[in-house]
Amino acid sequence: RYMSDNAKLEHLNVGTIGHIDHGKTMLTSAITKVFSGNGKTKFMKYDEIDRAEEERARGITINACHVDYYSSGRHYAHTDCPGHIDYIKNMITGAAQMDVAVLVVAASEGVMPQTTEHILLAKQIGIKNIIVYLNKVDIVDEDTLELVELEVRELLDNFGYDSEAIPIIPGSALDVLNEKDSEWGTKSIMKLIDALDRCKIPTRDTKGPFRLPIEKAVTVPGRGTVAIGTISKGNLKKSQEVRLMGRGVDIKTIASDIQVFHQSVSKATAGENVGVLLRGLRKDIVQRGMFLSQDDSLSQTDTFEAQIYVQTKEEGGRKVPLMNNYVNQIYMENWDIACMVKLAENVPMIMPGDTALCKMILRLPMVLEPGQRFFIREGTITALTGIISKILP
Ligand code: GDP
Ligand code: MG
């Protein structure tokens, strides 16, 4: 029933989003539990998934947990983040690769601030598919459940999603883990997986020149440095020459091995999360925000022109206007770096709610393309969003 060759499976990237303590991690664990029955999926216990938090406490910057599971026709790579800030970062930076977001809302609490913020971000970064899991149904009555469902639909509609087309699945991740034979247990997960299987696969650009935004680098003892990320364009073949670029670095090397979910493969393609063993490179050279590409298909620069929008307080933005030479962390694709905003000479400031054409200067040259979108965060708020209009010399 389950295809033996992963390469034949359709691949989709999923992520749980939603307010803290609404049960994202428990749901992630529950999904793997239900699917561990098929022999290919490994059951990940609740504590195993949340271990990321402990590691972070020890100073290791792991801010997302990746698990994978298989339905009969698809392979899912699932991301669960430990905290709200990790979500913000991962949605803005890495979630360009989130094909489907599973929004977890605890029926006992309903819509909360982080629920709203995550839906806003999902919309802004262009996530097309949302599935809602109304969790903790074991502790609410039917009237509450109905009210929360209405509330969630209204919220989705307000952010421009068509809530009629969005599956809302009531359930209890706790019941699943406790193997309780309730209506909200395993069956709710089957419904969820069915909804996932129905999500449209985004068209992947497998034809264009190879491009891999690097999420992180790890050292494999005895082997070398492995760059990890999801291929955004084209194909990569084992032993192919690749160019590492970004943060001012520009080095040619060889992809001496490619791994997809811990298995060595001869070729990987757009949409796949891969580990690429880079010949002769030290780990500290390879960083998030760098790209692997072929030949001269990418270029890097530190200066560009952008159309920006300064968000209002109501939109989660600033109370006060933005002044010339404003500096803060800019988030693009899957990286972030310090950036200065230069206003045009005749523009003394930009009020929240206004747009302007600005010159942006990054701390280091990065791989950029016109049309790319970005955000600038200021602590807990998203001060501005924008789009690159022109790369400047
Ligand atoms: P996260 O912050 O969204 O990842 O939330 P967790 O998965 O860590 O869950 C937060 C708390 O809610 C934990 O104490 C869980 O035991 C509890 N919880 C999660 N799912 C359920 C559920 O379906 N029913 C009930 N009653 N409690 C749940
Ligand atoms: Mg969690």
Side-chain angles (χ1 to χ4, degrees), residues 10-31:
E10 285 182 311
H11 175 87
L12 227 79
N13 299 304
V14 187
T16 20
I17 58 171
H19 196 76
I20 182 147
D21 278 345
H22 278 202
K24 298 176 293 292
T25 302
M26 200 157 268
L27 176 65
T28 304
S29 173
I31 295 171

Side-chain angles (χ1 to χ4, degrees), residues 87-216:
Y87 272 102
I88 297 300
K89 267 192 116 161
N90 270 279
M91 289 187 69
I92 293 175
T93 62
Q97 294 113 11
M98 210 191 279
D99 303 317
V100 191
V102 177
L103 174 68
V104 180
V105 182
S108 50
E109 282 198 311
V111 170
M112 294 293 278
Q114 290 165 12
T115 318
T116 310
E117 197 172 347
H118 291 184
I119 296 178
L120 168 68
L121 277 170
K123 189 69 195 177
Q124 285 177 329
I125 62 175
I127 296 177
K128 301 267 183 321
N129 296 299
I130 289 195
I131 298 169
V132 179
Y133 190 82
L134 282 187
N135 194 31
K136 308 199 187 185
V137 165
D138 54 304
I139 52 168
V140 300
D141 58 35
E142 230 163 88
D143 288 347
T144 312
L145 186 60
E146 246 171 65
L147 279 177
V148 173
E149 181 173 336
L150 282 177
E151 186 187 28
V152 172
R153 286 203 190 278
E154 194 181 321
L155 184 69
L156 288 165
D157 286 331
N158 285 346
F159 283 108
Y161 283 103
D162 173 15
S163 76
E164 288 297 307
I166 292 177
I168 297 193
I169 302 160
S172 164
L174 189 65
D175 279 4
V176 178
L177 292 185
N178 288 341
E179 299 181 5
K180 215 165 137 197
D181 188 24
S182 77
E183 218 186 313
W184 316 119
T186 306
K187 269 187 221 152
S188 71
I189 305 295
M190 299 307 262
K191 280 187 200 151
L192 176 62
I193 297 295
D194 185 56
L196 283 170
D197 276 346
R198 283 169 198 273
C199 284
K200 281 216 189 78
I201 297 259
T203 44
R204 317 251 188 227
D205 187 356
T206 54
K207 295 277 171 335
F210 165 69
R211 180 180 184 277
L212 171 73
I214 295 171
E215 277 156 32
K216 62 176 174 185

Side-chain angles (χ1 to χ4, degrees), residues 30 131 197 213 219 258 276 287 299 337 356 376:
I131 298 169
D197 276 346
T219 304
I258 309 168
V276 183
Q287 289 172 44
S299 61
I337 198 166
I376 292 187

